[in-house]
Amino acid sequence: VQGFAAHDADGRILSLDRTGAEWSLDPSRTAVLVSYTLNTGFTRLQWPAGNEHAGYYEPEALYLVGEALFATSDAMRSAAVEFVLPDGWQASTPWVAGESNVRFLVDGIEALVDNVVVVGRHAAVSHAAGDFTYTLALIGRAERVREDALPLARALVEEYVRVFGGAPDGAYLQALFVSDAEDGEAYRSSSGFRTSVVPGPQNLILWGNQLAHELFHRWIANHGAIAPVSQDDSQWFSEGLSEYYANLT
């Protein structure tokens, strides 16, 4: 983060105290305009734990985890996010779209920071069921499976609706890109995946199963399919059930 600054409603610069990655100011202020520049150079680096945990760069697309993108405060309860993008770019998010496809309404700060977004000229396909919308963003070489992605998205959503008798509310985003290994990371209402094999119809069982497995967790969480016990006691069942139905689907 570079050039972090705060102004009041009249445009006057406010004094800030910084401790590590946190800034603080006079708590009596009710309205503050914050501005900063985010250096996204880190998205071009290979992260030890995998770029799905932070960010990933392609010449015409950018994958980012919200925690690396947005500055928030404990006082925030919701947010409206608007992307100002170059011509031909789009934004893929797990949030409810507002009056345009670049403006989104976010219910809660956790939903803002604990999710991923993709902006750029990437391919994106969506399938809706009731009040639920599933979007798959394909980045870089993953765009090669654009034609296979929509039938996959439709099959996954419709099968999980059949199994559970309905769909969750809201939106869910998955992002797929080609990198150095097979791995992924789940967030509040989104997930990011990297694969070392360029996706294609001939290896759908590999990359498609990754997406299907994680999406099944969305239904488990929404429908309370697992009793509220510790993760250590339930993870074997949750992962096993998700993998089983992903394989079937």
Side-chain angles (χ1 to χ4, degrees):
V1 173
Q2 301 169 341
F4 194 96
H7 300 78
D8 65 13
D10 296 321
R12 290 187 292 266
I13 298 177
L14 301 176
S15 177
L16 292 169
D17 294 321
R18 179 175 181 177
T19 304
E22 294 187 355
W23 288 262
S24 59
L25 48 72
D26 182 352
S28 65
R29 299 287 180 180
T30 57
V32 177
L33 174 64
V34 171
S35 62
Y36 57 93
T37 298
L38 178 66
N39 185 337
T40 59
F42 69 92
T43 63
R44 299 171 182 248
L45 306 176
Q46 184 172 336
W47 282 63
N51 284 65
E52 67 275 13
H53 293 268
Y56 178 75
Y57 168 84
E58 285 281 351
E60 292 196 330
L62 189 63
Y63 163 102
L64 282 169
V65 177
E67 191 171 14
L69 181 58
F70 299 108
T72 62
S73 77
D74 294 338
M76 296 173 64
R77 296 293 178 265
S78 61
V81 177
E82 183 172 359
F83 294 94
V84 180
L85 301 171
D87 290 341
W89 280 40
Q90 63 176 326
S92 297
T93 81
W95 308 318
V96 177
E99 60 268 24
S100 70
N101 58 4
V102 292
R103 185 176 173 82
F104 302 89
L105 305 177
V106 186
D107 184 17
I109 300 308
E110 285 298 318
L112 184 68
V113 299
D114 190 25
N115 269 315
V116 303
V117 299
V118 182
V119 294
R121 296 182 185 272
H122 60 285
V125 299
S126 297
H127 183 70
D131 294 328
F132 176 75
T133 300
Y134 168 67
T135 299
L136 173 59
L138 304 167
I139 305 169
R141 287 177 289 171
E143 290 189 35
R144 298 183 184 184
V145 292
R146 182 197 303 254
E147 293 185 2
D148 301 292
L150 184 56
L152 173 65
R154 184 184 302 115
L156 293 179
V157 172
E158 292 182 356
E159 175 62 9
Y160 295 169
V161 167
R162 184 193 69 81
V163 170
F164 286 93
D169 293 332
Y172 191 87
L173 169 69
Q174 290 189 312
L176 179 67
F177 56 88
V178 180
S179 186
D180 59 333
E182 310 296 323
D183 206 351
E185 181 65 19
Y187 297 90
R188 189 180 184 91
S189 50
S190 58
S191 47
F193 298 92
R194 57 186 163 124
T195 176
S196 59
V197 179
V198 177
Q202 75 283 358
N203 53 28
L204 174 63
I205 190 61
L206 298 177
W207 59 272
N209 192 76
Q210 275 189 308
L211 302 175
H213 176 110
E214 202 56 50
L215 184 60
F216 194 83
H217 281 300
R218 184 73 175 90
W219 261 264
I220 289 179
N222 184 78
H223 284 75
I226 297 178
V229 296
S230 70
Q231 184 177 15
D232 289 342
D233 291 334
S234 65
Q235 188 171 22
W236 67 271
F237 181 77
S238 172
E239 295 299 329
L241 183 65
S242 297
E243 186 65 13
Y244 174 71
Y245 268 103
N247 292 169
L248 286 181
T249 306

